[in-house]
Amino acid sequence: MLFVSAHLPEKRRAGVVVPVEGDRWLVMLGGWLKDYPPADEAGFLEYARNLHEPHVYEAIRNAEPLGPPLPYRFPHSQWRHYERMPRFPEGLAVVGDALCSFNPIYGQGITTAALQAEVLDASLRGGLGDLARRYRQRVALSILGPWYMSTSEDLLIPQVEGERSRIMGLMKWYMDRFMRVATCDEQALKTFMQVMHMVKPPTAFLAPSLLRKVLGRLPTDAEWPAAPEPVSIPVEASPLQRHEGMAG
Ligand SMILES: Cc1cc2nc3c(=O)[nH]c(=O)nc-3n(C[C@H](O)[C@H](O)[C@H](O)COP(=O)(O)OP(=O)(O)OC[C@H]3O[C@@H](n4cnc5c(N)ncnc54)[C@H](O)[C@@H]3O)c2cc1C
């Protein structure tokens, strides 16, 4: 896959190109604060051209769209704190977006819903007594990590409304260094991917062996790997075309 990520708060556009079933590619563009990608083909391509790296534009500019861009607008992230309610109906468990919906650009919703199903399973194994309260407490803990990861990114933009904790500035400083290490260090990169995929909690970023690397000497520009050159998918060789050829 190809991912030109935003770098908040300055660079507020992102683009993704992912291979999907049927020899096709899924292309997603997005921006923050109502910076919507246009839903027409020419505007969509122009938006891709204005990402801060050329790779997505170069990859898609010759590709053939199978349909018009489909817009989706997300107004705000939302976590309903049912665990704080003093009274709650017994026998009711709230799961998924109804409990917490994240900015979809971070791709967390389905994974967190699956983790919530695991919490429900574990809670049920403790019997039916006091189930609703036990589930609500545990499920809130399972949301904390992903909620912090996505909202702390969005809150880097001054115009985004929400509570900013003091620790956020420190974490941003640490994570900027961490990402620099992760471009050269296998352990750091692996940990980053594991946390992003919610296999490990965000506290894994602070493992002692990683702390030493992140707080120590950072790789210099000369040691930093160069970004790969953009690759255009030529129309003749595009998987899209091959698929159409097969279908036709
Ligand atoms: C553009 C976009 C991209 C995303 N990308 C990712 C990603 O890459 N990775 C990831 O993990 N998550 C992603 N998500 C988030 C993910 O899709 C959601 O978190 C997930 O679908 C939530 O599942 P859910 O079952 O809680 O809610 P939903 O999937 O919204 O399901 C709720 C269902 O209830 C139905 N319904 C609503 N009201 C009623 C009613 N009164 N009676 C009967 N039925 C009703 C709705 O029609 C719907 O089918 C993305 C979301 C969006 C919008």
Side-chain angles (χ1 to χ4, degrees):
M1 71 178 282
L2 171 61
F3 186 12
V4 172
S5 71
H7 194 251
L8 301 178
E10 307 88 17
K11 295 165 183 166
R12 299 182 194 167
R13 287 185 175 185
V16 188
V17 182
V18 206
V20 291
E21 66 277 5
D23 252 355
R24 292 170 302 167
W25 300 88
L26 181 78
V27 181
M28 195 279 298
L29 300 175
W32 276 253
L33 296 175
K34 303 191 175 166
D35 180 14
Y36 305 124
D40 65 282
E41 214 180 285
F44 190 80
L45 203 57
E46 184 57 21
Y47 193 96
R49 206 170 64 80
N50 285 308
L51 292 176
H52 60 275
E53 298 287 350
H55 303 68
V56 169
Y57 173 72
E58 288 299 332
I60 66 171
R61 70 192 176 99
N62 290 324
E64 192 176 326
L66 292 178
L70 299 175
Y72 185 86
R73 295 177 177 185
F74 184 78
H76 54 252
S77 304
Q78 172 173 281
W79 180 0
R80 292 191 171 97
H81 286 280
Y82 292 113
E83 80 282 3
R84 294 182 189 163
M85 290 173 72
R87 293 191 307 122
F88 195 82
E90 203 43 70
L92 177 69
V94 184
V95 183
D97 277 16
L99 178 59
C100 186
S101 67
F102 302 88
N103 182 345
I105 216 141
Y106 301 113
Q108 296 170 305
I110 295 168
T111 316
T112 47
L115 291 173
Q116 290 157 24
E118 282 190 352
V119 172
L120 183 57
D121 177 56
S123 307
L124 278 165
R125 283 170 201 277
L128 294 179
D130 199 22
L131 175 65
R133 191 192 60 81
R134 286 187 289 112
Y135 167 74
R136 282 184 292 135
Q137 300 301 328
R138 280 189 186 191
V139 89
L141 290 178
S142 80
I143 292 172
L144 259 181
W147 175 259
Y148 182 80
M149 279 197 296
S150 68
T151 54
S152 60
E153 272 296 298
D154 289 348
L155 286 168
L156 289 172
I157 305 177
Q159 296 91 322
V160 170
E161 290 172 29
E163 271 176 44
R164 289 160 172 82
S165 65
R166 284 197 188 153
I167 196 175
M168 270 178 52
L170 184 63
M171 280 313 288
K172 158 91 176 130
W173 174 83
Y174 183 83
M175 285 312 295
D176 280 349
R177 291 179 71 92
F178 188 98
M179 293 313 294
R180 187 136 181 139
V181 173
T183 54
C184 309
D185 182 272
E186 194 179 330
Q187 183 200 6
L189 178 62
K190 200 168 172 187
T191 304
F192 176 73
M193 297 311 284
Q194 286 168 327
V195 175
M196 285 298 113
H197 290 95
M198 294 182 226
V199 180
K200 284 190 174 174
T203 46
F205 290 139
L206 303 172
S209 54
L210 286 170
L211 261 178
R212 265 195 302 278
K213 291 176 187 172
V214 175
L215 300 181
R217 188 187 74 85
L218 288 184
T220 62
D221 284 343
E223 290 165 310
W224 228 23
E229 287 299 313
V231 178
S232 182
I233 305 172
V235 175
E236 311 77 57
S238 126
L240 234 159
Q241 294 285 310
R242 271 191 273 122
H243 177 65
E244 284 175 354
M246 279 187 317

